[in-house]
């Protein structure tokens, strides 16, 4: 409940592999944002020596972007309402990333 869409995005290039989005969500723009942030975050975390990211929660004025990088370089992305149950979505995203990893 509260999830407006989900997609699989190829690592650095932002290519949408699969998507299920409600009307009004700009899938290609969300995919490009997620891929761009993934590359930058990966480099910054490596430089800081803290290891790889596991889960991101980006909250904006008009919704929330939840991302779990998968082992295969694919990002599992959910676009959600601002009041979504983050914990539940996080668990489901982690399970999905493990399944496709």
């Amino acid at each position: 409940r509260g999830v407006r869409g989900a997609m699989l995005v190829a690592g650095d290039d932002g290519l949408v592999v699969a998507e299920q989005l409600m009307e009004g969500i700009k899938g290609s723009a969300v995919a490009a944002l997620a891929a761009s942030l993934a590359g930058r975050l990966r480099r910054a975390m490596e430089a800081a020596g803290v290891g790889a990211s596991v889960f991101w929660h980006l909250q904006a004025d008009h919704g929330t972007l939840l991302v779990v990088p998968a082992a295969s370089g694919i990002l599992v992305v959910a676009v959600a309402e601002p009041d979504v149950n983050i914990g539940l979505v996080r668990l489901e995203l982690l399970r999905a990333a493990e399944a496709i990893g």
Side-chain angles (χ1 to χ4, degrees), residues 21-38:
L21 303 171
M22 294 179 91
E23 191 173 323
I25 297 176
K26 298 175 183 173
S28 58
V30 172
L33 172 64
S36 174
L37 289 174

Side-chain angles (χ1 to χ4, degrees), residues 3-38:
V3 174
R4 298 185 60 215
M7 62 179 73
L8 299 177
V9 180
D12 292 334
D13 63 5
L15 178 69
V16 177
V17 176
E19 68 179 19
Q20 184 67 42
L21 303 171
M22 294 179 91
E23 191 173 323
I25 297 176
K26 298 175 183 173
S28 58
V30 172
L33 172 64
S36 174
L37 289 174

